[in-house]
Amino acid sequence: MSERPVRLEPGWKARIGGYLERPEMQALAGFLREEKQRGKLIFPPGPEIFTAFNRTPFEAVRVVVLGQDPYHGAGQAHGLCFSVRPGVRVPPSLDNIFKEISRDLGLPRPDHGCLAPWADRGVLLLNAVLTVEQGLAGSHQGKGWEGFTDAAIEALNREQEGIVFLLWGSYAQRKGRLIDGSRHHVLTAVHPSPLSAHRGFIGCGHFSATNDLLVGRGLPPIDWSLPPRASLPAL
């Protein structure tokens, strides 16, 4: 966690801000401080750890995309799952997401991998684990983040209705136990990584299906297109 006080969008702060005071979160903060003191590089940078919660207000969430943990390469993770900053090479999993969007909706491939516009349109881009050590995927699993992101999903499940949850891969799908399928929609597929994408992610149709479900509830569909890099909103 950042050395500075954690800042959350007011709606999220009201629901999960108190969770940060729990002993396991204090232990997690201590772990992250110690890792940094030992010279380890932790991604994303401290001020960006909670970007998903600040970019998409609680009341604005219409869709949840659940990732596993942040990208572990330098300069990649910036607090939104599957997203990279403009100018950073698009990772393979995100490349497959773009392939499926193009196949499903006929949208052109963007010239960057920044998904912030989705977050601004009500798509919560949440990793189950919010930090990672450079070069070591999964290195911060089991350190306390899972309970925090469980609390976030439970708050959405409890207080909202009609959210579409996109759970790709077995790790994300384990969070499905927290979601009331009678009040929300859960779409599952294999992970978009190169190891599994062609075993069911490509062809899943989740982007058009999401919009059909939202429209069926009288909600506006998600615009899954991304503006050119030169027109992106500020991060």
Side-chain angles (χ1 to χ4, degrees), residues 197-235:
H198 292 280
R199 290 190 279 112
F201 181 80
I202 302 298
C204 69
H206 278 186
F207 302 96
S208 60
T210 292
N211 284 347
D212 289 344
L213 290 166
L214 291 172
V215 171
R217 284 186 175 258
L219 299 170
I222 299 294
D223 177 5
W224 293 106
S225 68
L226 292 171
R229 177 179 168 185
S231 303
L232 282 171
L235 294 179

Side-chain angles (χ1 to χ4, degrees), residues 132-151:
V132 70
E133 181 181 341
Q134 182 179 27
L136 291 175
S139 51
H140 290 181
Q141 291 177 16
K143 301 296 184 182
W145 283 124
E146 291 90 346
F148 178 72
T149 53
D150 279 359

Side-chain angles (χ1 to χ4, degrees), residues 8 43 47 56 138 171 176-177 185 207 211 216:
L8 295 173
F43 300 136
T56 309
Y171 192 90
R177 73 188 191 283
H185 308 285
F207 302 96
N211 284 347

Side-chain angles (χ1 to χ4, degrees), residues 27 54 82 107 115 125 146 153 170 203 206 215 228 234:
N54 287 312
F82 293 109
L107 295 175
L115 306 182
L125 297 167
E146 291 90 346
I153 292 172
S170 58
H206 278 186
V215 171

